Amino acid sequence: MDILNKEYASTETVSKLKHDFDTALPYRHLVMDNFLSEEVALQAYENFPSVQELKTHWKGLNENKLEGSDFGVFHPVFSKIKEDFTSPEFYKWVSGVTGIDEVFITDDHMGSGIHQGTNGSFLDVHIDFNIHHIKNVHRRLNLLIYLEKNWKEEYGGALEMWNADMSNCDKMVLPMFNRCVIFETSEISYHGYSKITIPEDVTRKSFFAYFYTNERDGAVGYHDTVFKARPTESKSKKVKTAVKENLKNTAKATLKKLGVKF
């Protein structure tokens, strides 16, 4: 684990992180500052792909963000991060701090990559897809590392963690440089970020990794991402979101049952 801040590697620290993860609310999670080594974090910031280099743009009623996972065209530092995160040593560390055994990252765009948000970017509150629709493995954890050095609180964009019935945002985590968030993905892990207002020379940058296991106790049937409107949003958006999500998830569940790739 060459890229990890050595302070997080000790047995004592892992034990403390496990306690913090298990007792966190509104669902199990960790927030760790200065997560990567200073050198690696700075390299990732200075060589973060431009907006033009990212080919996937999610833009619609519930999201506006850029995404990419083509490590072959990214700066080598991103391949190094991915390599370390997919090592047996890092899997063991993740299992140690979360208590979730035999985790792994899939080698595709649903395993690791980068996100970027320009002015006006947002991601409405949602729970994530629970099963990889091709590999049929269970999504268990999200890991996010924020990589914008010049982020200010007034820009917004904090990671919102909502309670199980979506009645209250219980925690907000600003996307500060080299801050890592790990959280358990489940049927109640509602999260997102509201619309950001930023200068042209700033973007909301992050590296993501999604951890899976082959089995999951008490697993429910497959569903895709499920967005939900915040309590303060308009009635119109609440209705549009509910209708869209019902149609999308019904269609994708049907396709999966039929064995159709999507």
Side-chain angles (χ1 to χ4, degrees):
M1 299 192 298
D2 296 337
I3 65 167
L4 189 66
N5 183 336
K6 301 304 182 186
E7 293 181 5
Y8 289 110
S10 72
T11 302
E12 294 78 9
T13 300
V14 169
S15 179
K16 182 182 183 304
L17 291 173
K18 175 64 166 61
H19 174 269
D20 292 345
F21 182 82
D22 285 339
T23 57
L25 296 172
Y27 40 81
R28 298 201 299 169
H29 72 273
L30 289 170
V31 179
M32 295 167 286
D33 288 330
N34 301 313
F35 185 70
L36 300 175
S37 72
E38 185 177 355
E39 179 185 2
V40 169
L42 188 59
Q43 281 186 356
Y45 165 70
E46 292 176 341
N47 296 283
F48 204 88
S50 68
V51 169
Q52 292 73 26
E53 291 177 279
L54 300 184
K55 305 304 181 185
T56 302
H57 192 178
W58 302 102
K59 189 171 185 179
L61 176 66
N62 298 114
E63 58 188 326
N64 180 4
K65 65 175 183 176
L66 295 151
E67 182 178 313
S69 56
D70 191 354
F71 287 87
V73 301
F74 296 164
H75 185 276
V77 68
F78 293 97
S79 292
K80 175 59 177 172
I81 295 172
K82 178 182 177 182
E83 179 183 340
D84 262 38
F85 282 4
T86 54
S87 69
E89 293 80 12
F90 194 73
Y91 289 162
K92 181 180 178 181
W93 182 87
V94 170
S95 292
V97 300
T98 66
I100 300 175
D101 295 328
E102 299 182 349
V103 297
F104 58 89
I105 299 170
T106 57
D107 189 21
D108 57 20
H109 71 282
M110 291 187 287
S112 58
I114 61 172
H115 290 140
Q116 188 162 201
T118 57
N119 188 43
S121 173
F122 68 96
L123 179 63
D124 281 347
V125 180
H126 63 284
I127 56 172
D128 295 303
F129 68 84
N130 61 339
I131 297 172
H132 193 298
H133 69 280
I134 297 174
K135 299 180 183 295
N136 287 317
V137 291
H138 297 263
R139 185 166 170 178
R140 305 298 302 275
L141 296 160
N142 286 359
L143 180 150
L144 303 169
I145 303 173
Y146 299 110
L147 292 168
E148 173 56 59
K149 283 196 72 175
N150 302 303
W151 200 264
K152 298 180 180 179
E153 186 173 357
E154 56 263 34
Y155 294 163
L159 175 66
E160 302 174 9
M161 296 183 168
W162 286 71
N163 61 0
D165 64 3
M166 274 287 295
S167 61
N168 188 64
C169 179
D170 285 356
K171 186 168 185 175
M172 300 182 73
V173 181
L174 283 169
M176 306 307 288
F177 178 66
N178 204 12
R179 172 173 285 172
C180 175
V181 180
I182 298 178
F183 63 91
E184 183 175 27
T185 57
S186 69
E187 302 307 305
I188 62 166
S189 58
Y190 288 102
H191 62 283
Y193 67 89
S194 56
K195 187 176 291 187
I196 58 177
T197 304
I198 54 177
E200 289 187 2
D201 61 342
V202 173
T203 60
R204 190 181 189 276
K205 302 176 176 73
S206 60
F207 182 98
F208 71 84
Y210 304 148
F211 292 85
Y212 297 81
T213 57
N214 286 316
E215 304 292 338
R216 182 172 193 157
D217 291 339
V220 302
Y222 165 81
H223 64 73
D224 194 32
T225 304
V226 180
F227 284 101
K228 285 198 175 182
R230 296 174 179 84
T232 55
E233 291 180 308
S234 68
K235 183 177 181 180
S236 173
K237 183 164 185 178
K238 290 176 182 177
V239 171
K240 288 179 181 178
T241 297
V243 170
K244 176 180 75 71
E245 292 302 287
N246 182 58
L247 290 173
K248 177 192 72 176
N249 272 285
T250 299
K252 287 195 171 184
T254 300
L255 290 172
K256 188 175 186 305
K257 286 181 180 179
L258 295 173
V260 178
K261 293 185 177 181
F262 53 89

